[in-house]
Amino acid sequence: MELIVIFYGVLLMDKLFGKFGLYTWMALAVVFANIQVSKQVDIAGVSTALGNVMFASTYLTTDILNEKYGDKASKNAVKIAAAALIAYILFALFTQAFIPNTFDTVDPGMKSIFAMSVRITTASGIMFILSNWGDVIIYQKLKQKTGGKHMWFRNNLSTILCNCAENFGFSILAFIGTFPLLYCLEVAVAGSIIEMLIALCDTPFLYLAGIFNRKSGILLEKENAKDETLSEEAA
């Protein structure tokens, strides 16, 4: 159910706000995924951290941007998400730094939510940026090699490769030395299996994005062409 809601959410943001909606989704997804990842759940009998689907939606988002708006738009989305992640970490630290007064009732809960290991957060951020950037590059290369055909192939190959690399990289950077290497690899394999299944599920939504969202950004007001020209000249 979460997968369907989240992936349809990506399509809805594109339909309503075009590429700006997808940029916004990237920023929101990386923040919420880093909040969800603290919660441990069982999925199909496999213990894992929540947030896999939200993280996976970023790959779907960059693939849609690549197909509809070009690889530069995909790279911009990754940069925006990286900035959002840094901002989230900073504001989370500031929130914990303030001492609550006697009327406060939410500080313990907020400390639990925002409790972050510097090492884990750093590992998550590094692998998120590298894996999404790699996904954009691999996707574009495959698109060029196939002449724009076989969208399902480049979608699955780029997403699965980068998802698996992200899982192994994160598990080693975040936990090696704290836990045995074998345990780190087991966590990475379990996460990779789940995310491979999720990656296969996002392919229909990539095709739906092309069918349903031929006219994107329906809620956006048309910007003044003169203002756009001035902005381009200033840049």
Side-chain angles (χ1 to χ4, degrees):
M1 179 60 72
E2 183 193 19
L3 186 148
I4 294 173
V5 171
I6 288 177
F7 284 177
Y8 266 117
V10 175
L11 301 188
L12 183 62
M13 290 295 281
D14 182 30
K15 183 67 175 179
L16 298 179
F17 306 107
K19 67 178 179 180
F20 299 106
L22 296 177
Y23 290 161
T24 303
W25 182 273
M26 285 289 288
L28 292 173
V30 70
V31 171
F32 280 108
N34 271 280
I35 294 174
Q36 287 185 320
V37 76
S38 300
K39 186 169 184 175
Q40 302 298 307
V41 296
D42 290 332
I43 299 178
V46 178
S47 296
T48 186
L50 195 62
N52 287 319
V53 178
M54 189 63 77
F55 268 124
S57 73
T58 63
Y59 295 101
L60 173 62
T61 304
T62 55
D63 289 350
I64 293 174
L65 282 165
N66 207 320
E67 286 295 327
K68 299 185 69 173
Y69 306 103
D71 61 314
K72 289 184 179 179
S74 296
K75 291 177 180 177
N76 286 337
V78 177
K79 294 174 186 177
I80 291 170
L85 179 58
I86 292 171
Y88 163 70
I89 293 171
L90 290 175
F91 285 121
L93 292 173
F94 278 126
T95 300
Q96 295 181 84
F98 282 92
I99 300 173
N101 63 24
T102 55
F103 298 101
D104 179 80
T105 58
V106 301
D107 186 62
M110 294 188 76
K111 282 185 176 179
S112 297
I113 293 173
F114 292 139
M116 298 181 295
S117 163
V118 173
R119 181 180 177 183
I120 291 175
T121 305
T122 302
S124 175
I126 290 173
M127 292 313 303
F128 170 81
I129 295 167
L130 290 178
S131 63
N132 273 272
W133 195 266
D135 177 68
V136 171
I137 293 174
I138 294 172
Y139 190 95
Q140 183 64 20
K141 293 293 184 183
L142 291 173
K143 186 177 181 180
Q144 293 171 350
K145 290 289 185 181
T146 58
K149 300 178 181 179
H150 310 303
M151 186 166 66
W152 62 271
F153 173 72
R154 59 180 174 271
N155 167 243
N156 283 296
L157 184 59
S158 63
T159 300
I160 289 173
L161 284 176
C162 293
N163 253 320
C164 291
E166 189 271 335
N167 271 289
F168 279 89
F170 169 75
S171 297
I172 292 173
L173 289 175
F175 303 124
I176 195 69
T178 303
F179 300 107
L181 176 61
L182 182 59
Y183 176 79
C184 296
L185 295 178
E186 288 176 354
V187 170
V189 170
S192 295
I193 291 172
I194 291 172
E195 293 197 8
M196 280 192 283
L197 295 174
I198 295 172
L200 293 174
C201 292
D202 84 358
T203 303
F205 290 90
L206 183 58
Y207 280 93
L208 286 174
I211 297 172
F212 293 164
N213 296 354
R214 295 188 187 279
K215 185 178 180 181
S216 300
I218 60 174
L219 288 187
L220 293 179
E221 295 185 23
K222 190 172 181 180
E223 297 179 2
N224 189 298
K226 183 178 179 180
D227 291 341
E228 290 181 355
T229 302
L230 290 173
S231 296
E232 291 174 0
E233 289 176 353

